[in-house]
Amino acid sequence: METVVMKFGGTSVATPEKIIGVAERAISEKEKGNRVVIVVSAMGKTTDTLQALADEITANPSKREMDMLLATGEQVTISLLAMAFKTLGHEALSFTGWQAGIETESVPRNARIEHIHTERLEQALSEGFFCVVAGFQGVDRAGNITTLGRGGSDTTAVALAAALNARKCDIYTDVDGVYTSDPRYVNGARKLEQISYDEMLELANLGAGVLHPRAVEFAKNNNVPLSVRASYSDEAGTIIQEVVTVEKNLIVRGVAFEPGIARVTVTYKKPFNGSLANIFTKLAEHHIDVDIIVQSITNDFPPSVSFSIKQDHMDEVKRVLDTYQSDIGFVSTDFEVGLSKVSIVGSGMVSNPGVAAQMFDILRRQDIPVKMVSTSEIKVSVVVPENDMHKSANALHEEYGLE
Amino acid sequence: METVVMKFGGTSVATPEKIIGVAERAISEKEKGNRVVIVVSAMGKTTDTLQALADEITANPSKREMDMLLATGEQVTISLLAMAFKTLGHEALSFTGWQAGIETESVPRNARIEHIHTERLEQALSEGFFCVVAGFQGVDRAGNITTLGRGGSDTTAVALAAALNARKCDIYTDVDGVYTSDPRYVNGARKLEQISYDEMLELANLGAGVLHPRAVEFAKNNNVPLSVRASYSDEAGTIIQEVVTVEKNLIVRGVAFEPGIARVTVTYKKPFNGSLANIFTKLAEHHIDVDIIVQSITNDFPPSVSFSIKQDHMDEVKRVLDTYQSDIGFVSTDFEVGLSKVSIVGSGMVSNPGVAAQMFDILRRQDIPVKMVSTSEIKVSVVVPENDMHKSANALHEEYGLE
């Protein structure tokens, strides 16, 4: 008997009726002859409600206690889902993160899974139970409850699929697959049948929002066949795997975009030595994700480094820079907000030089200023004004023939 | 340094503001030089909200999953309370039942505490942390979350006080102490300064509702000095301890009453042999509490046994009796609802014969029919119609000079 992991996000379990629907869906998967593990998030707006309670107590809650608080969200869902199986005549057991043996590092609010002790789940599966596991949460070695950060439930699902040697991991969500771009804003965006881990990783990192990058990375490293599909229909979704059958000979497979970006520029008096490492070490120590980094040293200007962050993190970045100004040794900082990131992704790029140049040309023809650029073997990202984000995406989607 | 355990119930932590008030109260206890453990219940109506969610899924939820669901209630409170300490400039750590080492038997919804592994709490206390512990919950040896049943948070507090060798365990609640009777319904009911464990045990068992009997029993067995006091004032409450300074030479120290009682009568064809044990064994196996048991065998009537239960349990009692009719071997059952229990309690009774007779006389003068009677060394209980409950309590309170 093979094991299948199914993951349902917050909107898919937002009400008791929807939870019963999830149970029905999992039962049909079992009736195909599979052992089934279901990973769920907190119901609908539960996390917001819990956050609001914490906000009433303090503006700056302890991270450990936020994990303690937020972990209750999935615990409610798993108990209700296990009850739903029972009422439909099936046996199920719910497991919190620690009960499912999900051991993480000791980093509250953003812990990585270090190991999964699968004995209890294996036992329950072999006895014929549906195993309902709380996503997003684990326990560190000292016995503190931790959470995995944004998209953590996806990571839980993929990590369990890897640990249990599952045949597949299906991520059920409120979209029916991975698209060439966001159909809400880009004309002609269409669903992809397949996409490679690497392409998905770039798209996930680029804020396509369907799957968390950590989950995709975990799937890639453990070769877990992943799919993204709709919780509301039986249609096939998008399969994410190592080798992709090329649909057309597309150089670019998707256009992603993400609003809410800020650019930070740090200026030094004289050429620095080691300071650059200092900045990013300090930011990393405070768990602030830095995305694009651009360094420009010319004789005409004082040396500076620019980097992009999420606008939400700006206050914390300011605080860290202020605190460590003398360590880092900079003169001034500048913050530009109201930016966005637009990216093109495709495995075909690696063998097609000039893709970036073509991209800049398309944007120039639309009079869109490019503030920062970052490239990898399979993607090119540009930072542009947030006002131009949708216009950029539409132009790129059309010009690269994704419709 | 001595340890103090403080317990706050659901109404005392119903809002973020109240939670901050609890933290302030605990801080003043620490400033007296104590190490402080705070045990809390779920906020206000949280349990009802969770129960309503379960009701939408199924009419007959798995008990294990109900424990999983309900345990989230206290987990929310402990995280918020720990945050409150931090925002007031103090260090605190929250602990779920399993993190606090509270090991219970494997009886979902009604587990008893078997052992408390205090290492983690001792460690945190010795490092100067306030320890905030989730009441009402524990973990069985297989790692399932369990809950302790009604009044479970009181039991958690007392058990922790015993395990940590605490100087005292203060139960903060929405009343300011233990009364001679319920002042809402009985004229002249007044607060007691002291009461013995045994008297409190009878009052608790009799539905006085201030403290759970299991908690009192635990305190008695471990000689934990217990007090019941108001969460909203600094006034001294009622101290519950082994030896009580007699205030007046009162034979009766309190009058308790409890509505919602049903009487079950089971009739046999011929004198039975062992059947009586069968009934109560079966009911106990289904965790149904039976209170007063009266057996009457005369030559004129078929043999029968009557017992009182909470009216809420009537459906389950009916189900159990139906299921095991042939095992138990009875002919018919009869259920009488709309009853109540009224009791007088006092250590002085043991040396004063005739207290029960006096009680019956008082009730007869009020034309109140007595349906069942039960006596112990320090209490007499009668089952009377629910309509006569308050009238009975007032008459007894007055006649025994408790005003």
Side-chain angles (χ1 to χ4, degrees):
Chain A
M1 244 184 176
E2 287 187 306
T3 302
V4 169
V5 176
M6 308 170 78
K7 182 260 171 177
F8 294 87
T11 52
S12 308
V13 293
T15 63
E17 296 72 43
K18 284 186 166 189
I19 288 174
I20 291 174
V22 164
E24 286 166 346
R25 183 131 207 175
I27 290 166
S28 74
E29 197 70 47
K30 192 176 191 189
E31 284 167 351
K32 292 178 198 157
N34 297 303
R35 310 197 305 179
V36 182
V37 176
I38 306 100
V39 174
V40 285
S41 304
M43 291 169 74
K45 300 286 170 206
T46 306
T47 305
D48 295 345
T49 310
L50 293 171
Q51 179 72 56
L53 277 174
D55 290 344
E56 281 191 65
I57 299 272
T58 173
N60 186 22
S62 143
K63 288 183 175 182
R64 176 188 188 274
E65 301 304 337
M66 277 309 293
D67 280 356
M68 180 68 98
L69 180 65
L70 296 181
T72 62
E74 297 84 35
Q75 191 170 329
V76 168
T77 320
I78 57 172
S79 60
L80 294 176
L81 180 52
M83 289 175 199
F85 278 109
K86 200 133 191 177
T87 206
L88 295 171
H90 290 259
E91 290 295 329
L93 284 173
S94 66
F95 297 89
T96 60
W98 62 271
Q99 288 176 327
I102 298 171
E103 188 182 304
T104 73
E105 51 181 9
S106 291
V107 179
R109 306 222 62 182
N110 204 22
R112 280 172 184 270
I113 294 174
E114 289 191 329
H115 185 69
I116 301 186
H117 304 268
T118 54
E119 299 78 9
R120 273 191 87 178
L121 291 182
E122 295 271 15
Q123 175 75 21
L125 287 170
S126 72
E127 289 170 0
F129 288 94
F130 283 93
C131 288
V132 182
V133 179
F136 181 67
Q137 59 178 251
V139 64
D140 71 10
R141 275 181 211 196
N144 299 298
I145 292 174
T146 53
T147 65
L148 309 182
R150 283 179 70 87
S153 292
D154 291 345
T155 310
T156 302
V158 174
L160 281 173
L164 294 167
N165 202 16
R167 183 165 56 78
K168 62 172 181 168
C169 178
D170 289 339
I171 308 289
Y172 290 83
T173 177
D174 49 359
V175 297
D176 60 357
V178 180
Y179 275 65
T180 53
S181 197
D182 189 331
R184 287 173 300 179
Y185 306 110
V186 175
N187 296 324
R190 62 181 177 77
K191 193 170 77 181
L192 292 161
E193 278 175 35
Q194 299 179 15
I195 188 169
S196 73
Y197 292 125
D198 286 334
E199 288 170 332
M200 190 65 221
L201 205 48
E202 292 290 2
L203 284 173
N205 267 316
L206 295 172
V210 182
L211 265 182
H212 195 268
R214 203 183 281 178
V216 179
E217 196 184 348
F218 218 111
K220 174 178 156 72
N221 291 341
N222 294 278
N223 214 19
V224 175
L226 200 59
S227 90
V228 172
R229 52 192 300 179
S231 53
Y232 51 80
S233 90
D234 282 330
E235 232 179 289
T238 300
I239 292 167
I240 301 137
Q241 57 191 14
E242 194 56 55
V243 180
V244 171
T245 320
V246 178
E247 299 181 40
K248 285 191 258 173
N249 197 10
L250 285 180
I251 295 171
V252 173
R253 201 179 297 271
V255 177
F257 46 89
E258 183 182 0
I261 302 294
R263 178 171 68 169
V264 186
T265 304
V266 178
T267 306
Y268 294 83
K269 202 159 187 174
K270 50 175 196 257
F272 38 87
N273 191 359
S275 301
L276 204 57
N278 276 354
I279 293 183
F280 298 108
T281 305
K282 286 296 172 210
L283 293 174
E285 279 171 11
H286 290 78
H287 298 285
I288 295 161
D289 285 331
V290 169
D291 186 15
I292 301 176
I293 300 175
V294 177
Q295 192 187 322
S296 69
I297 302 185
T298 68
N299 291 329
D300 300 330
F301 298 100
S304 71
V305 59
S306 295
F307 53 91
S308 71
I309 55 168
K310 282 193 206 304
Q311 209 158 295
D312 294 348
H313 293 165
M314 205 167 70
D315 289 345
E316 195 159 3
V317 169
K318 278 184 178 161
R319 207 163 48 74
V320 171
L321 291 177
D322 284 352
T323 308
Y324 300 103
Q325 176 157 15
S326 62
D327 291 3
I328 304 174
F330 62 87
V331 184
S332 66
T333 53
D334 178 70
F335 292 85
E336 181 174 5
V337 297
L339 301 176
S340 68
K341 187 168 67 160
V342 178
S343 311
I344 53 173
V345 173
S347 308
M349 268 182 217
V350 61
S351 51
N352 280 273
V355 175
Q358 187 184 356
M359 183 184 191
F360 303 147
D361 185 53
I362 295 166
L363 295 172
R364 195 192 38 180
R365 277 187 274 130
Q366 302 282 334
D367 284 324
I368 296 164
V370 174
K371 302 271 183 171
M372 298 177 93
V373 178
S374 162
T375 59
S376 82
E377 292 198 333
I378 64 166
K379 74 122 206 256
V380 183
S381 296
V382 293
V383 172
V384 297
E386 206 168 282
N387 291 337
D388 290 326
M389 182 175 75
H390 293 148
K391 190 172 144 196
S392 308
N394 273 287
L396 294 166
H397 197 267
E398 192 185 336
E399 296 263 0
Y400 285 111
L402 292 173
E403 288 174 38
Chain B
M1 243 186 178
E2 286 187 307
T3 301
V4 169
V5 177
M6 308 171 77
K7 183 259 170 177
F8 294 86
T11 51
S12 308
V13 293
T15 64
E17 297 72 43
K18 285 186 166 190
I19 287 174
I20 290 173
V22 165
E24 285 166 346
R25 184 132 207 174
I27 289 166
S28 74
E29 197 70 47
K30 191 177 191 186
E31 284 166 352
K32 292 178 197 157
N34 297 304
R35 311 198 303 180
V36 182
V37 176
I38 307 99
V39 174
V40 285
S41 304
M43 292 170 74
K45 300 286 170 205
T46 306
T47 305
D48 295 346
T49 310
L50 293 170
Q51 179 73 57
L53 277 175
D55 289 345
E56 283 192 64
I57 299 272
T58 172
N60 187 23
S62 143
K63 288 183 176 183
R64 177 189 187 274
E65 300 305 337
M66 277 309 292
D67 280 356
M68 179 68 97
L69 180 65
L70 296 180
T72 62
E74 297 84 36
Q75 190 170 329
V76 168
T77 320
I78 56 172
S79 60
L80 295 176
L81 181 52
M83 289 176 199
F85 278 110
K86 199 133 193 176
T87 206
L88 295 170
H90 290 259
E91 291 294 328
L93 285 173
S94 67
F95 297 89
T96 60
W98 62 271
Q99 288 176 326
I102 298 171
E103 188 183 303
T104 74
E105 50 178 12
S106 293
V107 179
R109 305 222 62 183
N110 205 22
R112 280 170 184 271
I113 294 174
E114 288 192 331
H115 185 68
I116 301 186
H117 304 269
T118 55
E119 298 80 8
R120 271 191 87 178
L121 291 182
E122 296 271 16
Q123 174 75 22
L125 286 170
S126 72
E127 290 170 1
F129 288 94
F130 284 93
C131 288
V132 182
V133 180
F136 181 66
Q137 58 179 250
V139 63
D140 70 11
R141 276 182 209 195
N144 300 298
I145 292 174
T146 52
T147 64
L148 310 181
R150 283 178 70 88
S153 292
D154 291 345
T155 310
T156 301
V158 174
L160 281 173
L164 295 167
N165 202 15
R167 183 165 57 77
K168 62 172 181 167
C169 178
D170 289 341
I171 308 288
Y172 290 82
T173 176
D174 50 357
V175 298
D176 59 356
V178 180
Y179 276 66
T180 53
S181 197
D182 188 331
R184 287 173 299 179
Y185 306 109
V186 175
N187 296 323
R190 61 181 178 78
K191 192 170 75 180
L192 292 161
E193 279 175 35
Q194 298 179 15
I195 189 170
S196 72
Y197 291 125
D198 285 336
E199 287 170 334
M200 190 65 221
L201 204 49
E202 292 290 2
L203 284 173
N205 268 316
L206 295 172
V210 183
L211 266 181
H212 195 267
R214 202 183 280 178
V216 180
E217 195 183 348
F218 218 111
K220 175 178 155 70
N221 291 342
N222 295 278
N223 213 18
V224 175
L226 199 60
S227 91
V228 172
R229 52 191 300 179
S231 53
Y232 51 80
S233 92
D234 283 329
E235 231 180 288
T238 300
I239 293 166
I240 302 137
Q241 56 191 15
E242 193 57 54
V243 180
V244 172
T245 321
V246 178
E247 300 180 38
K248 287 191 256 174
N249 196 11
L250 285 180
I251 296 171
V252 172
R253 201 179 297 271
V255 177
F257 45 89
E258 182 182 359
I261 303 293
R263 179 170 67 168
V264 186
T265 304
V266 178
T267 306
Y268 295 83
K269 201 157 188 177
K270 51 174 193 255
F272 37 86
N273 193 358
S275 302
L276 206 55
N278 276 353
I279 290 182
F280 297 109
T281 305
K282 287 296 173 210
L283 293 174
E285 280 170 10
H286 290 77
H287 298 283
I288 296 160
D289 285 331
V290 170
D291 185 15
I292 301 176
I293 300 174
V294 176
Q295 190 185 325
S296 69
I297 301 185
T298 68
N299 290 329
D300 299 331
F301 298 101
S304 71
V305 59
S306 294
F307 53 91
S308 71
I309 55 168
K310 284 193 205 305
Q311 211 158 296
D312 294 348
H313 293 166
M314 205 168 68
D315 289 344
E316 196 161 3
V317 170
K318 278 184 178 162
R319 208 164 45 77
V320 171
L321 291 177
D322 284 354
T323 308
Y324 299 102
Q325 176 157 15
S326 63
D327 290 4
I328 303 174
F330 62 87
V331 183
S332 66
T333 54
D334 178 69
F335 292 85
E336 181 173 3
V337 296
L339 301 176
S340 68
K341 186 168 67 160
V342 178
S343 310
I344 52 174
V345 173
S347 308
M349 269 183 216
V350 60
S351 51
N352 279 275
V355 175
Q358 188 184 356
M359 183 184 191
F360 304 147
D361 186 52
I362 294 166
L363 295 172
R364 196 193 38 184
R365 278 187 272 127
Q366 302 282 335
D367 284 324
I368 296 164
V370 173
K371 303 272 184 172
M372 298 176 93
V373 178
S374 162
T375 60
S376 81
E377 293 197 334
I378 64 167
K379 75 121 208 258
V380 183
S381 296
V382 294
V383 172
V384 298
E386 206 169 282
N387 291 337
D388 290 325
M389 182 175 75
H390 293 149
K391 189 173 145 195
S392 307
N394 273 288
L396 294 166
H397 197 266
E398 191 186 337
E399 297 262 0
Y400 284 111
L402 292 174
E403 287 174 41

